[in-house]
Amino acid sequence: MMKDIATPVRTKAILEKYGFSFKKSLGQNFLIEPNILSRIVDHAEVTDKTGVIEIGPGIGALTEQLARRAKKVVAFEIDQRLLPILNETLAPYPNVSIIHQDVLEADLKRAVKEHFSDCEEIMVVANLPYYVTTPIIMKLLEDQLPLKGIVVMLQKEVADRISAKPSTKEYGSLSIAVQYYTDAKTVMTVPKTVFVPQPNVDSAIIRLLVRNEPIVELENESFFFQIVRASFAQRRKTLLNNLVHFLPNGKELKPVIEETLSQVNIDGKRRGESLSIEEFAKLSDALDKVLT
Ligand code: SAM
């Protein structure tokens, strides 16, 4: 059997054969450790009933491991130079489709319909390009795809922010946005040495399991996120100050905001970072009644 794509020797041979040079601007840090790749696939619990969306297959290192266990893999790659390489490296895996597209512009709902109608569950599994980690995760969640979950490698610092609990310095609007849709857990930290070229930051694997029921029932979802963003706009400011300064017409509405905070028993002198998702939901529902 051919050596795994991810081994340092085979990766080097493939890169040399095609004269491939890494583009830092595309977040190209390829994995060269098959054990880490199989851990990612393990954490995603991929089976022969799973359809997998991969983002950024590179030269196919993770794609290969996914293809061996999944029913189907659909991988979005932005860099045209990788297409002939993937054509060769993934030739043994007929259950893989490569789509040459920026994933942020992709119609993922359509891709799911086209490719995964015979799959029982859909997972996103990827070693993400670090320059667009957050927009990619938010797109996957906001597109409301029928996903079971997302297991991705990303910067450790972003993984920490995503899975953070209230009253920690990592907790912020990203934690709330992701935890609103999913149960988030950092499952593993990963050393720089398993990539070529080595990234400047530490990495981690995060597992996001999409919730069947939302963690909180909201009257007005977009207003909830507006309240959350305003509450974290300046971390040193109190909750009341942030709401007054960063909600539209906040200054004129100060007395109403103060009154609403006291109605829901949330002290305006607290900082946004101390509020749980449930408290943000209570506050946003109450403010929604009087402000919108
Ligand atoms: N999966 C490979 C691995 O683990 O070795 C490569 C991962 S590398 C961190 C990120 C990959 O994402 C690169 O192949 C890069 O070209 C691709 N990429 C970057 N931006 C992208 C985008 N917006 N849409 C799709 N692919 C992208």
Side-chain angles (χ1 to χ4, degrees):
M1 196 168 126
M2 194 80 150
K3 270 204 183 77
D4 285 356
I5 297 167
T7 55
V9 173
R10 179 131 185 253
T11 298
K12 191 163 172 257
I14 294 166
L15 296 175
E16 272 174 17
K17 175 172 172 188
Y18 286 89
F20 184 82
S21 53
F22 294 102
K23 271 198 189 152
K24 210 174 166 188
S25 62
L26 290 180
Q28 291 179 336
N29 302 95
F30 294 172
L31 275 163
I32 48 161
E33 173 52 76
N35 284 333
I36 298 281
L37 290 164
S38 50
R39 298 288 291 279
I40 298 177
V41 187
D42 288 344
H43 282 299
E45 296 179 1
V46 170
T47 73
D48 59 1
K49 299 185 172 48
T50 315
V52 177
I53 299 175
E54 189 194 355
I55 296 145
I59 59 169
L62 176 59
T63 326
E64 172 179 64
Q65 308 285 335
L66 290 166
R68 287 182 186 153
R69 289 204 235 166
K71 185 164 182 77
K72 273 188 194 156
V73 183
V74 173
F76 291 86
E77 175 55 63
I78 199 171
D79 188 348
Q80 185 156 22
R81 299 172 308 151
L82 290 164
L83 302 187
I85 306 183
L86 288 164
N87 208 16
E88 179 189 326
T89 56
L90 298 175
Y93 306 100
N95 58 341
V96 174
S97 309
I98 303 292
I99 301 181
H100 175 219
Q101 195 175 19
D102 177 344
V103 71
L104 291 176
E105 283 168 14
D107 182 346
L108 295 176
K109 270 207 172 120
R110 210 176 102 198
V112 163
K113 251 199 204 141
E114 266 175 31
H115 294 273
F116 296 140
S117 55
D118 54 350
C119 297
E120 281 183 13
E121 56 180 35
I122 301 166
M123 290 291 295
V124 175
V125 186
N127 170 19
L128 290 177
Y130 290 180
Y131 75 105
V132 275
T133 309
T134 309
I136 290 176
I137 291 180
M138 291 319 298
K139 176 184 165 75
L140 292 169
L141 297 175
E142 286 167 357
D143 277 5
Q144 308 263 316
L145 305 166
L147 299 179
K148 178 180 168 208
I150 301 172
V151 173
V152 285
M153 175 95 77
L154 70 182
Q155 308 90 310
K156 181 174 177 304
E157 173 256 325
V158 179
D160 290 344
R161 286 202 280 132
I162 286 177
S163 53
K165 299 282 172 253
S167 299
T168 60
K169 71 175 192 319
E170 290 81 16
Y171 184 68
S173 45
L174 180 64
S175 329
I176 294 173
V178 177
Q179 291 175 34
Y180 172 66
Y181 295 105
T182 70
D183 183 12
K185 193 170 175 209
T186 300
V187 289
M188 200 177 150
T189 55
V190 177
K192 295 174 186 162
T193 47
V194 300
F195 301 89
V196 277
Q198 292 189 14
N200 298 326
V201 294
D202 289 325
S203 300
I205 299 167
I206 196 161
R207 185 180 62 208
L208 309 173
L209 293 178
V210 175
R211 299 180 190 282
N212 295 328
E213 297 289 324
I215 188 169
V216 284
E217 290 289 344
L218 296 173
E219 298 290 336
N220 182 341
E221 198 174 282
S222 71
F223 186 65
F224 167 82
F225 286 115
Q226 205 182 337
I227 295 288
V228 170
R229 275 193 303 274
S231 304
F232 286 102
Q234 291 192 1
R235 294 184 75 101
R236 283 157 182 269
K237 278 198 160 110
T238 63
L239 178 62
L240 175 63
N241 267 335
N242 267 331
L243 293 173
V244 167
H245 283 96
F246 297 101
L247 281 181
N249 307 323
K251 288 201 181 93
E252 294 110 82
L253 295 167
K254 188 174 180 194
V256 185
I257 297 173
E258 275 180 312
E259 170 62 24
T260 311
L261 279 164
S262 91
Q263 262 172 29
V264 292
N265 280 325
I266 296 177
D267 184 346
K269 290 197 214 66
R270 286 170 63 183
R271 305 220 190 279
E273 67 198 45
S274 75
L275 268 67
S276 65
I277 297 189
E278 289 78 3
E279 286 179 306
F280 273 117
K282 202 162 64 166
L283 176 60
S284 119
D285 281 355
L287 283 173
D288 181 49
K289 283 204 186 83
V290 288
L291 297 189
T292 64

